[in-house]
Structures are given as structure tokens and as C-alpha cells.
Amino acid sequence: MPQIELDEETIKRLDGIRVEDESYDELVMELVNIYEASELTLFHAGD
């Protein structure tokens, strides 16, 4: 799995939206899924 480095402000923003004991991996996967779902919605909106 790729490794990424985050600056302090990004970590603070992620901490602000984490739920209880949610890991950063879980949070990032959720954000990616939301992005992909919205991208698909926009793609199909033009049909």
C-alpha cells in the first residue's frame, strides 16, 4: 500500500471529521468512496 505524508493542518481537518475510534485508513477509504459515488452521479447526470 502506498505511503503518504500529511501536513499538520490536513491531520487536524481529518481529526475533526473522524468518528470515535475510526482509523485514518477507514476515514480515507470513506472519503474516497464518497468521491467515487459523487463522480459516478455527475457522470450519469449527463445521460
Coordinates of all heavy atoms in Angstrom, one line a residue:
M1 N 0.8 -1.2 0.0 CA 0.0 0.0 0.0 C 0.9 1.2 0.0 O 1.9 1.3 0.7 CB -0.9 0.0 1.2 CG -1.8 1.2 1.3 SD -2.9 1.2 2.7 CE -4.2 0.1 2.1
P2 N 0.5 2.2 -0.8 CA 1.3 3.5 -0.8 C 1.3 4.2 0.5 O 0.4 4.1 1.2 CB 0.7 4.3 -1.9 CG -0.3 3.4 -2.6 CD -0.6 2.3 -1.7
Q3 N 2.4 4.9 0.8 CA 2.5 5.7 2.0 C 2.4 7.2 1.5 O 2.9 7.6 0.5 CB 3.9 5.5 2.6 CG 4.1 4.1 3.1 CD 3.4 3.9 4.4 OE1 3.3 4.8 5.3 NE2 2.9 2.7 4.6
I4 N 1.7 7.9 2.3 CA 1.6 9.4 2.0 C 1.9 10.2 3.3 O 1.8 9.6 4.4 CB 0.1 9.8 1.6 CG1 -0.9 9.4 2.6 CG2 -0.2 9.1 0.3 CD1 -2.3 10.0 2.3
E5 N 2.4 11.4 3.1 CA 2.7 12.3 4.2 C 1.7 13.4 4.2 O 1.4 13.9 3.1 CB 4.1 12.8 4.1 CG 5.2 11.8 4.3 CD 6.6 12.4 4.3 OE1 6.7 13.6 4.7 OE2 7.5 11.7 3.9
L6 N 1.2 13.7 5.4 CA 0.2 14.8 5.5 C 0.7 15.9 6.4 O 1.4 15.6 7.3 CB -1.1 14.2 6.2 CG -1.8 13.0 5.5 CD1 -2.9 12.5 6.3 CD2 -2.3 13.4 4.1
D7 N 0.4 17.1 6.0 CA 0.9 18.2 6.8 C 0.0 18.3 8.0 O -1.1 17.7 8.1 CB 1.0 19.5 6.0 CG -0.4 20.0 5.5 OD1 -1.4 19.7 6.0 OD2 -0.4 20.8 4.5
E8 N 0.4 19.1 9.0 CA -0.3 19.2 10.3 C -1.8 19.7 10.1 O -2.7 19.2 10.8 CB 0.5 20.2 11.2 CG -0.1 20.2 12.6 CD 0.8 21.1 13.5 OE1 2.1 21.1 13.3 OE2 0.2 21.7 14.4
E9 N -2.0 20.7 9.2 CA -3.3 21.2 9.0 C -4.3 20.1 8.5 O -5.4 20.0 8.9 CB -3.3 22.4 8.1 CG -4.7 23.0 7.9 CD -4.7 24.3 7.2 OE1 -3.7 25.1 7.2 OE2 -5.7 24.7 6.6
T10 N -3.8 19.3 7.5 CA -4.6 18.2 7.0 C -5.0 17.2 8.1 O -6.1 16.8 8.2 CB -3.9 17.5 5.8 OG1 -3.6 18.5 4.8 CG2 -4.7 16.4 5.2
I11 N -4.0 16.9 8.9 CA -4.3 16.0 10.0 C -5.3 16.6 11.0 O -6.3 15.9 11.4 CB -3.0 15.6 10.8 CG1 -2.1 14.8 9.9 CG2 -3.3 14.9 12.1 CD1 -0.7 14.6 10.4
K12 N -5.3 17.9 11.3 CA -6.3 18.5 12.1 C -7.6 18.4 11.5 O -8.6 18.2 12.2 CB -5.9 20.0 12.4 CG -4.8 20.1 13.3 CD -4.4 21.6 13.5 CE -3.2 21.8 14.4 NZ -2.9 23.2 14.6
R13 N -7.7 18.6 10.2 CA -9.0 18.6 9.5 C -9.6 17.1 9.5 O -10.8 16.9 9.7 CB -8.9 19.0 8.0 CG -8.6 20.5 7.9 CD -8.4 21.0 6.5 NE -9.7 20.9 5.8 CZ -9.8 21.1 4.5 NH1 -8.8 21.4 3.8 NH2 -11.0 21.0 3.9
L14 N -8.7 16.1 9.3 CA -9.1 14.7 9.4 C -9.6 14.4 10.8 O -10.6 13.7 11.0 CB -8.0 13.8 8.9 CG -7.7 13.8 7.5 CD1 -6.4 13.0 7.2 CD2 -8.8 13.3 6.6
D15 N -8.9 14.9 11.8 CA -9.3 14.6 13.2 C -10.7 15.2 13.4 O -11.4 14.7 14.2 CB -8.3 15.2 14.1 CG -7.0 14.4 14.2 OD1 -7.1 13.2 13.9 OD2 -6.0 14.9 14.7
G16 N -11.0 16.3 12.8 CA -12.3 17.0 13.0 C -13.4 16.2 12.5 O -14.6 16.4 12.9
I17 N -13.2 15.3 11.5 CA -14.3 14.5 10.9 C -14.3 13.1 11.3 O -15.2 12.3 10.9 CB -14.4 14.7 9.4 CG1 -13.1 14.3 8.7 CG2 -14.7 16.2 9.0 CD1 -13.2 14.3 7.2
R18 N -13.3 12.6 12.0 CA -13.2 11.2 12.5 C -14.3 11.0 13.5 O -14.6 11.8 14.3 CB -11.8 10.9 13.1 CG -10.7 10.7 12.0 CD -9.4 10.6 12.6 NE -9.3 9.5 13.5 CZ -8.3 9.3 14.4 NH1 -7.3 10.2 14.5 NH2 -8.2 8.2 15.1
V19 N -14.8 9.7 13.4 CA -15.8 9.3 14.4 C -15.2 8.4 15.4 O -14.6 7.4 15.0 CB -17.0 8.6 13.6 CG1 -18.0 8.1 14.6 CG2 -17.6 9.5 12.6
E20 N -15.3 8.7 16.7 CA -14.8 7.9 17.8 C -13.4 7.3 17.5 O -12.5 8.0 17.4 CB -15.8 6.9 18.2 CG -17.1 7.5 18.7 CD -18.2 6.4 19.0 OE1 -17.8 5.2 19.1 OE2 -19.3 6.8 19.2
D21 N -13.3 6.0 17.4 CA -12.0 5.3 17.2 C -11.7 5.0 15.8 O -11.0 4.1 15.5 CB -12.0 4.0 18.1 CG -12.0 4.3 19.6 OD1 -11.6 5.4 20.0 OD2 -12.5 3.5 20.3
E22 N -12.3 5.7 14.9 CA -12.1 5.4 13.4 C -10.6 5.7 13.1 O -10.1 6.7 13.5 CB -13.0 6.4 12.6 CG -13.0 6.1 11.1 CD -14.0 7.0 10.4 OE1 -14.2 8.2 10.8 OE2 -14.6 6.5 9.5
S23 N -10.1 4.7 12.3 CA -8.7 4.9 11.9 C -8.6 5.9 10.7 O -9.6 6.1 10.1 CB -8.1 3.6 11.6 OG -8.6 3.1 10.3
Y24 N -7.4 6.4 10.5 CA -7.2 7.2 9.3 C -7.5 6.4 8.1 O -8.0 7.0 7.1 CB -5.8 7.8 9.3 CG -5.6 8.9 10.3 CD1 -4.7 8.7 11.4 CD2 -6.2 10.1 10.3 CE1 -4.5 9.7 12.3 CE2 -6.1 11.1 11.2 CZ -5.2 10.9 12.2 OH -5.0 11.9 13.2
D25 N -7.1 5.2 8.0 CA -7.3 4.3 6.8 C -8.8 4.2 6.6 O -9.3 4.4 5.4 CB -6.8 2.9 7.0 CG -5.2 2.9 6.9 OD1 -4.6 3.8 6.4 OD2 -4.7 1.9 7.4
E26 N -9.6 4.0 7.6 CA -11.1 3.9 7.4 C -11.6 5.2 7.0 O -12.5 5.3 6.1 CB -11.7 3.5 8.8 CG -11.4 2.1 9.2 CD -11.8 1.8 10.6 OE1 -11.8 2.7 11.5 OE2 -12.2 0.6 10.9
L27 N -11.2 6.3 7.5 CA -11.7 7.6 7.1 C -11.3 7.9 5.7 O -12.2 8.4 4.9 CB -11.1 8.7 8.1 CG -11.4 10.1 7.7 CD1 -12.9 10.4 7.7 CD2 -10.7 11.1 8.7
V28 N -10.1 7.7 5.3 CA -9.7 8.0 3.9 C -10.5 7.1 2.9 O -10.9 7.6 1.9 CB -8.2 7.8 3.7 CG1 -7.8 7.8 2.3 CG2 -7.4 8.9 4.5
M29 N -10.7 5.8 3.3 CA -11.5 5.0 2.4 C -12.9 5.5 2.3 O -13.5 5.5 1.2 CB -11.5 3.5 2.9 CG -10.2 2.8 2.6 SD -9.8 2.7 0.8 CE -11.2 1.9 0.1
E30 N -13.5 6.0 3.3 CA -14.8 6.5 3.3 C -14.9 7.8 2.4 O -15.8 7.9 1.6 CB -15.3 6.9 4.7 CG -16.7 7.3 4.8 CD -17.2 7.6 6.2 OE1 -16.6 7.1 7.1 OE2 -18.2 8.2 6.3
L31 N -13.9 8.6 2.5 CA -13.8 9.8 1.7 C -13.6 9.5 0.2 O -14.3 10.1 -0.7 CB -12.7 10.7 2.2 CG -12.9 11.4 3.5 CD1 -11.6 12.1 4.0 CD2 -14.1 12.3 3.5
V32 N -12.8 8.5 -0.1 CA -12.6 8.0 -1.5 C -13.9 7.5 -2.0 O -14.3 7.8 -3.1 CB -11.5 7.0 -1.6 CG1 -11.5 6.3 -2.9 CG2 -10.1 7.6 -1.3
N33 N -14.6 6.7 -1.2 CA -15.9 6.1 -1.7 C -16.9 7.2 -1.9 O -17.7 7.1 -2.9 CB -16.5 5.1 -0.6 CG -15.7 3.8 -0.6 OD1 -15.0 3.5 -1.5 ND2 -15.7 3.2 0.6
I34 N -17.0 8.2 -1.1 CA -17.9 9.3 -1.3 C -17.5 10.1 -2.6 O -18.4 10.4 -3.4 CB -17.9 10.3 -0.1 CG1 -18.5 9.7 1.1 CG2 -18.6 11.6 -0.4 CD1 -18.3 10.4 2.4
Y35 N -16.2 10.3 -2.8 CA -15.8 10.9 -4.0 C -16.2 10.1 -5.3 O -16.7 10.7 -6.3 CB -14.3 11.1 -4.0 CG -13.7 11.7 -5.3 CD1 -13.8 13.0 -5.6 CD2 -13.1 10.8 -6.2 CE1 -13.3 13.5 -6.8 CE2 -12.6 11.3 -7.4 CZ -12.7 12.6 -7.7 OH -12.2 13.1 -8.9
E36 N -15.9 8.8 -5.2 CA -16.3 8.0 -6.4 C -17.8 8.0 -6.6 O -18.2 8.0 -7.8 CB -15.7 6.6 -6.2 CG -14.2 6.5 -6.3 CD -13.7 5.1 -6.0 OE1 -14.4 4.3 -5.4 OE2 -12.5 4.8 -6.4
A37 N -18.6 7.9 -5.6 CA -20.0 7.9 -5.7 C -20.5 9.2 -6.4 O -21.4 9.2 -7.2 CB -20.7 7.7 -4.4
S38 N -19.9 10.3 -5.9 CA -20.4 11.6 -6.5 C -19.9 11.8 -7.9 O -20.6 12.4 -8.7 CB -19.8 12.8 -5.6 OG -18.5 12.9 -5.7
E39 N -18.7 11.2 -8.2 CA -18.2 11.3 -9.6 C -19.1 10.5 -10.5 O -19.5 10.9 -11.6 CB -16.8 10.7 -9.6 CG -16.1 10.8 -11.0 CD -14.7 10.3 -10.9 OE1 -14.5 9.1 -11.1 OE2 -13.8 11.1 -10.8
L40 N -19.6 9.3 -10.1 CA -20.5 8.5 -10.9 C -21.8 9.2 -11.0 O -22.4 9.1 -12.1 CB -20.7 7.1 -10.2 CG -19.5 6.1 -10.3 CD1 -19.8 4.9 -9.5 CD2 -19.2 5.8 -11.7
T41 N -22.3 9.8 -10.0 CA -23.6 10.6 -10.1 C -23.5 11.7 -11.1 O -24.4 11.9 -11.9 CB -23.9 11.1 -8.7 OG1 -24.0 10.1 -7.8 CG2 -25.3 11.9 -8.7
L42 N -22.4 12.4 -11.1 CA -22.2 13.5 -12.0 C -22.1 13.0 -13.5 O -22.6 13.5 -14.4 CB -20.9 14.3 -11.7 CG -21.1 15.2 -10.4 CD1 -19.7 15.8 -10.1 CD2 -22.1 16.3 -10.6
F43 N -21.4 11.8 -13.6 CA -21.2 11.2 -14.9 C -22.5 10.8 -15.5 O -22.8 11.1 -16.7 CB -20.3 10.0 -14.8 CG -20.1 9.3 -16.1 CD1 -19.3 9.8 -17.1 CD2 -20.7 8.0 -16.3 CE1 -19.1 9.2 -18.3 CE2 -20.5 7.4 -17.5 CZ -19.7 7.9 -18.5
H44 N -23.4 10.2 -14.7 CA -24.7 9.7 -15.2 C -25.7 10.8 -15.3 O -26.7 10.7 -16.0 CB -25.2 8.6 -14.3 CG -24.4 7.3 -14.4 ND1 -24.4 6.6 -15.6 CD2 -23.7 6.7 -13.6 CE1 -23.7 5.6 -15.4 NE2 -23.2 5.6 -14.2
A45 N -25.5 12.0 -14.7 CA -26.4 13.1 -14.7 C -26.5 13.7 -16.1 O -27.5 14.2 -16.5 CB -26.0 14.2 -13.7
G46 N -25.5 13.5 -16.9 CA -25.5 14.0 -18.3 C -26.2 13.1 -19.3 O -26.4 13.5 -20.4
D47 N -26.6 11.9 -18.8 CA -27.3 11.0 -19.7 C -28.7 11.4 -20.1 O -29.4 11.9 -19.4 CB -27.3 9.6 -19.1 CG -26.0 8.9 -19.1 OD1 -25.1 9.4 -19.7 OD2 -25.8 7.9 -18.4

